[in-house]
Amino acid sequence: LTIPALAWGHMFQSAFGVHAPAFPGSRWIPAAFGTAVFAYGGWPFLQGAWREVRDRLPGMMTLIALAISVAFVFSAAVTLGYPGLPLWEELATLVTIMLLGHWLEMRSITQAQGALGELAKLLPDLATRVIASDDGERTEQVTVDRLRENDVVLIRPGERVPADGLVESGTSAVNEAVITGESRPVEKAPDARVIAGTTNGSGSLRVRVTGTGERTALAGIMRLVRDAQASRSRAQALADRAAFWLTWVAIGAGAITLVGWLGVGATAAYAIERLVTVLVIACPHALGLAVPLVVAISTTLGARSGLLVRDRRGLEEARNVDTVVFDKTGTLTRGEFGVTAIATAADVNADDALRLAAAIEADSEHSIAQGIVRTATERAIRPVRADAFEALPGRGVRARVDGRSLYVGGPALLRELRLEGDTMVRDAASAASARGESVVYLVDDGGNGTRRVLAAFAVADVPRPESREAVSELRRRNIDVVMMTGDAKPVAEAAAKAMGIDTVFAEVLPGDKAGKVEELKRAGRRVAMVGDGVNDAPALVTADVGIAIGAGTDVAVEAGDVVLVRSDPRDVVRVIDLSRASYAKMVQNLWWAAGYNIVAIPLAAGVLAPWGVVLSPAAGAVLMSVSTIIVAANAQLLRRAPLAT
């Protein structure tokens, strides 16, 4: 529609010396097509302006609507007999370029928010439901929306998991990277939890459904991402205020431009053209895009890395954090017992001792016994079967392994058997006790009074292997690390030393954790609290930034500003890095979006006209669109921000 308006308009013909064919009524072509462009292409801007005026928040749409309306009314008046040259081709070109710029802006935002669509695509359309009957077992293909809790589904190699559930039978390695950010496939065996949207490996699994539809972890992640992208940050509020005042500055500058050019004797057409150019070039398109696009990109970037942002302001504040307080149990540690040290008699191999102890403890439900078994499994030590198992209440257990009669128990067992162990075992046990760790002994009953202590195992809540690296990375960024726990002081200090933490708050009751955070804030610290999101909720809310760790598939953690899906303390560093990178992009975009108007508005007003430099409304629209594209491109560079791995 714009091409005919240009071809039969005065500007194109005078500029290129080419005259379009003349025929009866041809002089009305620019007016007809210009009106069509204004009515059709300008309608979205007129609607947007009405909403802004109604909400008393004039901005980008108001300026665009004002510019094209002035150009339309003036051109219509000239066409109907008012002296001057109409601006039909300028109007049509202006609307077309503004629509192109608006489309580019919307496309950038849609791409940035595309993670939601990609997440939605993770669920398969069909699932294989297993139906048990008196005649045996059969399968049927059903759509995912027909799955219900307690249904059993068959997940073949390479298929996506259709719903959250627990493995009933089968083993496989499942790729959970799209949900948790974990790069390595996670081994699944009976009773293991699987997450909807993840990809099964080479094994076959039968899974009992525990959550479908809106009750899946994937749906929870999508809700958090959607809410975070819609949430407003302080930088967004600043951009909105700047856009509001820039609108009034542009209207004022336009009025001064119109009156000024009319005052020096310019034609009405020329003065109105300057007015329209000022209104167009000052449109806060780029300013309106500067922050939301960074918000969308940073939020989706975080989600793909297992960082779920619940509150944008929390992520924004993370860049200022100078102290990170970690809850100990379940955050820096696994929250489960494991063997931290093994001391053996001179002629005993540590792995052999662990194999024997694990064999004896395999059937025990005691948490310390399970810690010994778990450690053996992690070290790829396969225990043999124990026979003649006998519990010794308050002391330990006894069983036969490889034809040998063996005991496993604590200090009470040694007192009853009147044993001490050799010097190496005694020293190791004393050191473990000083650290507040439990000590378990392996005793060989050789018969005929030849009992002896084969090994001593120090058992404690095991630090996560990633914790020390997380602490090191935070300290490298000049951020102090504090550990807070309800454990006794010796236990807490030993765990802190193992992870490189200098400051420890020990013997802190859950209800007092928030008070400790408040103490640090009163001392002028900017505090991030990292906890499990349940018993640490008051402290998470009190801190400047609350980071909930250990969410796993439970993404409905209400206390934290950011949820770490992977339960990996190293992701705290990534939160801070993402915050700093996002803020830097916001500042760059705001400076560009607002700063370019310092030069653009005077240029549009015609301050360089005496030297022959004059911008047309279309050229102003191009410059405004270019500034928007620059802001969008700069925001996209956030995807390359180096985050800690």
Side-chain angles (χ1 to χ4, degrees), residues 99-432:
L99 279 176
L100 175 62
H102 196 59
W103 176 78
L104 289 172
E105 173 189 342
M106 293 300 102
R107 185 168 179 266
S108 295
I109 291 178
T110 301
Q111 286 177 339
Q113 295 177 334
L116 281 176
E118 294 302 315
L119 286 173
K121 294 176 185 176
L122 293 178
L123 283 180
D125 297 324
L126 299 174
T128 303
R129 183 161 56 189
V130 179
I131 300 174
S133 64
D134 294 339
D135 299 330
E137 186 179 86
R138 64 183 178 88
T139 61
E140 64 175 358
Q141 290 285 313
V142 298
T143 56
V144 172
D145 61 346
R146 290 178 57 192
L147 291 178
R148 297 293 181 265
E149 289 188 19
N150 290 319
D151 280 352
V152 176
V153 293
L154 172 63
I155 305 172
R156 296 185 175 92
E159 290 185 343
R160 289 195 181 276
V161 178
D164 288 359
L166 294 173
V167 176
E168 283 212 333
S169 63
T171 59
S172 185
V174 176
N175 185 343
E176 297 183 344
V178 292
I179 302 295
T180 66
E182 177 60 59
S183 58
R184 293 172 297 181
V186 180
E187 295 293 332
K188 300 294 181 181
D191 295 329
R193 184 177 294 276
V194 293
I195 309 171
T198 56
T199 304
N200 188 23
S202 58
S204 179
L205 297 174
R206 275 174 166 74
V207 172
R208 184 167 296 279
V209 174
T210 60
T212 61
E214 290 299 309
R215 296 187 299 277
T216 63
L218 181 62
I221 290 172
M222 292 176 65
R223 281 195 299 273
L224 287 183
V225 173
R226 188 183 299 112
D227 293 346
Q229 290 182 341
S231 68
R232 295 170 59 80
S233 65
R234 293 183 179 87
Q236 179 63 64
L238 174 63
D240 289 346
R241 287 198 301 272
F244 175 81
W245 288 110
L246 179 59
T247 300
W248 287 112
V249 168
I251 293 173
I256 293 171
T257 299
L258 177 65
V259 172
W261 280 110
L262 291 175
V264 297
T267 64
Y270 185 84
I272 289 176
E273 186 176 298
R274 295 296 95 229
L275 164 64
V276 171
T277 306
V278 168
L279 293 176
V280 169
I281 209 165
C283 283
H285 235 69
L287 198 57
L289 186 63
V291 173
L293 191 54
V294 173
V295 167
I297 292 173
S298 62
T299 304
T300 53
L301 187 64
R304 288 172 181 169
S305 303
L307 316 175
L308 300 182
V309 181
R310 287 193 62 255
D311 189 333
R312 282 291 317 172
R313 297 196 178 196
L315 179 62
E316 194 172 305
E317 185 63 32
R319 67 186 176 86
N320 295 318
V321 164
D322 57 23
T323 303
V324 175
V325 179
F326 283 99
D327 172 57
K328 170 182 169 283
T329 305
T331 302
L332 289 173
T333 66
R334 294 178 178 175
E336 56 190 23
F337 282 105
V339 176
T340 61
I342 303 175
T344 64
D347 59 339
V348 178
N349 179 271
D351 285 349
D352 286 340
L354 184 58
R355 179 178 64 85
L356 295 172
I360 297 170
E361 300 282 32
D363 293 333
S364 174
E365 291 296 323
H366 195 283
S367 57
I368 292 180
Q370 288 302 302
I372 292 174
V373 174
R374 188 180 300 111
T375 302
T377 302
E378 290 172 354
R379 297 188 183 186
I381 296 173
R382 189 183 298 274
V384 295
R385 186 176 182 83
D387 300 312
F389 181 88
E390 179 186 358
L392 306 173
R395 293 157 292 169
V397 295
R398 179 169 58 191
R400 293 188 66 81
V401 181
D402 292 340
R404 301 165 66 183
S405 179
L406 300 167
Y407 295 87
V408 174
L413 176 67
L414 293 196
R415 286 196 295 272
E416 180 179 289
L417 299 178
R418 298 179 181 179
L419 295 174
E420 287 189 349
D422 63 19
T423 302
M424 184 178 298
V425 170
R426 289 199 306 272
D427 291 347
S430 298

Side-chain angles (χ1 to χ4, degrees), residues 3 5-20 89:
I3 291 174
L6 282 173
W8 272 269
H10 68 88
M11 182 175 68
F12 179 82
Q13 298 189 67
S14 61
F16 295 98
V18 177
H19 297 280
E89 58 263 56

Side-chain angles (χ1 to χ4, degrees), residues 22 43 161 317 391 553 643:
W43 183 244
V161 178
E317 185 63 32
T553 58
L643 303 182

Side-chain angles (χ1 to χ4, degrees), residues 66-123:
L66 191 57
I68 62 177
S69 297
V70 168
F72 173 76
V73 170
F74 177 77
S75 299
V78 170
T79 302
L80 296 175
Y82 185 83
L85 290 174
L87 302 173
W88 292 118
E89 58 263 56
E90 287 93 335
L91 170 62
T93 306
L94 172 60
V95 171
T96 301
I97 292 174
M98 294 300 297
L99 279 176
L100 175 62
H102 196 59
W103 176 78
L104 289 172
E105 173 189 342
M106 293 300 102
R107 185 168 179 266
S108 295
I109 291 178
T110 301
Q111 286 177 339
Q113 295 177 334
L116 281 176
E118 294 302 315
L119 286 173
K121 294 176 185 176
L122 293 178
L123 283 180

